[in-house]
Amino acid sequence: MCSSDLKGFSNRNLRGTYAETFSGFAGTAANPFATPNSIPQSGTGLETADGNGNFTASIVFSIGGSTCAGTVTGTYVVNANGTGTSTGTFTPSATAPTGVPSTNYSCPVQLTGVQDEAFTIVGPSTINFISTDADSVVTGTAVRQGF
């Protein structure tokens, strides 16, 4: 790709509400890769970006057989080539979401706090992302809602 092929992306290209799905493993900072001590996870949620570098998300996910839910609030930066990074703080919900048995609701402590990601804008409504945290291997896709 030559420099004339760059699209001139910016934070304005991430605006609206995106439905996201993700999956991977949560480990430890010493060994984030899938091992007998890693915990599988998958989830879904809604993320809203304001086009100015700020986002909020509401997610629910299964991790190691338990369900966890919460919110993420953070910031993002889109580079001119459509790649970018984000950092957000996950805050677990104190109670299980409607429809999730409270006996199966538990948020592991290693998931709370700051979470970092790298992403690529694939098209007008699709974003692929990965976790860049030392304690997880996670990948996902977000698709803007609406037609």
Side-chain angles (χ1 to χ4, degrees):
M1 172 184 292
C2 68
S3 61
S4 64
D5 292 334
L6 297 178
K7 303 294 184 192
F9 289 96
S10 72
N11 286 352
R12 290 185 308 274
N13 291 100
L14 289 185
R15 183 179 13 215
T17 300
Y18 295 79
E20 64 182 22
T21 61
F22 56 90
S23 62
F25 292 90
T28 65
N31 187 3
F33 301 103
T35 70
N37 296 327
S38 297
I39 305 170
Q41 64 175 319
S42 63
T44 188
L46 294 176
E47 184 168 329
T48 301
D50 69 0
N52 293 311
N54 304 292
F55 74 90
T56 58
S58 177
I59 59 175
V60 61
F61 54 100
S62 172
I63 180 158
S66 295
T67 302
C68 178
T71 59
V72 182
T73 302
T75 59
Y76 62 89
V77 175
V78 177
N79 301 315
N81 65 359
T83 63
T85 57
S86 68
T87 186
T89 301
F90 175 71
T91 304
S93 300
T95 58
T98 302
V100 174
S102 60
T103 56
N104 193 42
Y105 186 77
S106 175
C107 292
V109 69
Q110 74 258 41
L111 297 181
T112 61
V114 176
Q115 298 181 351
D116 299 305
E117 295 178 345
F119 60 84
T120 302
I121 299 173
V122 179
S125 63
T126 305
I127 302 163
N128 289 337
F129 61 90
I130 62 165
S131 170
T132 58
D133 292 331
D135 62 351
S136 65
V137 177
V138 175
T139 183
T141 300
V143 178
R144 187 168 48 215
Q145 291 184 316
F147 306 109

